[in-house]
Amino acid sequence: MSKDDIQLLSALALALTRYPRSTLQQLATHAGISKATLYRMARTREEVVERIVAHASGALADAFDNAGLEDQPPLQALHNLTTALLDIRQFFSFLLMNHWLTHMDRGQDPHETEECQHYIRRVHAFFQRGQEEGVFRADVPSLWLARSYDFLLFSMMESEQRGDIEPDAMVGLVEQMFLGGALAKQA
C-alpha cells in the first residue's frame, strides 16, 4: 500500500472515530476529500470501513508483535508499545471505536470478543511479567495496570484529536502519567 493510500485511510479512520455514524458524503467532507476521491477508493461506506479495519488490524498486530512484550526489559517494551500505538493512533482509535459500536449495536459486550481478549491477555501477561521482575507495582492487579494503560492511551489520543496536547509530547506524557502510578517503589 502506498504512503498516499495510508494517509487517506488514516484521514478516514480519524473522521470515522470522530463521526462514527457518518454517511459516505459526510465522511468525505470530514476527511477533507471529495466524494469522487472517496468513491474511487470504495463504493460504499461498509467497504471504506472494511478497508480501514483490514489495514488497522495489521498495524495493531505489528505494534504488539514488534514491541518486545515477551522478551524485552519491561520499561523498554512499554516504551516500544506506547510509541508504536501512538504512531498509529488514528487507526488504533478507529479500531476501538468501531469495535465498541459494532458489538454494542449487536447487544454484545465488546470486551468479551476473542479479538479484544487476545490483546487484553497479551498486555495482562506483559504487566504480570513486569510485576514478577519487580518493575511494576505488585500491590495492584496486573489486569488493572493493563486496563489503566489502555484507557490512558485512548484518553491521550482523544485529547490530541481535540487539540489539547501536541502530538510530539504524547509518548512522554503517557509514560510519565502511567509510570508515576505503576512503577514499583524502590527501597
Side-chain angles (χ1 to χ4, degrees), residues 10-32:
S10 179
L12 292 166
L14 181 58
L16 279 168
T17 300
R18 288 183 176 164
Y19 309 100
R21 304 287 190 201
S22 296
T23 65
L24 204 57
Q25 178 63 48
Q26 292 167 332
L27 185 55
T29 300
H30 294 313

Side-chain angles (χ1 to χ4, degrees), residues 29-59:
T29 300
H30 294 313
I33 60 173
S34 70
K35 187 174 178 186
T37 298
L38 182 56
Y39 198 70
R40 281 192 294 275
M41 186 190 98
R43 299 216 179 258
T44 66
R45 185 184 183 285
E46 291 74 26
E47 194 178 331
V48 171
V49 170
E50 287 172 12
R51 290 200 55 190
I52 298 169
V53 166
H55 178 77
S57 296

Side-chain angles (χ1 to χ4, degrees), residues 94-114:
F94 166 79
L95 282 176
L96 292 173
M97 183 68 66
N98 186 64
H99 182 79
W100 185 266
L101 289 174
T102 299
H103 294 285
M104 292 298 284
D105 285 351
R106 295 177 186 161
Q108 302 168 332
D109 182 346
H111 294 106
E112 298 302 320
T113 64
E114 180 53 39

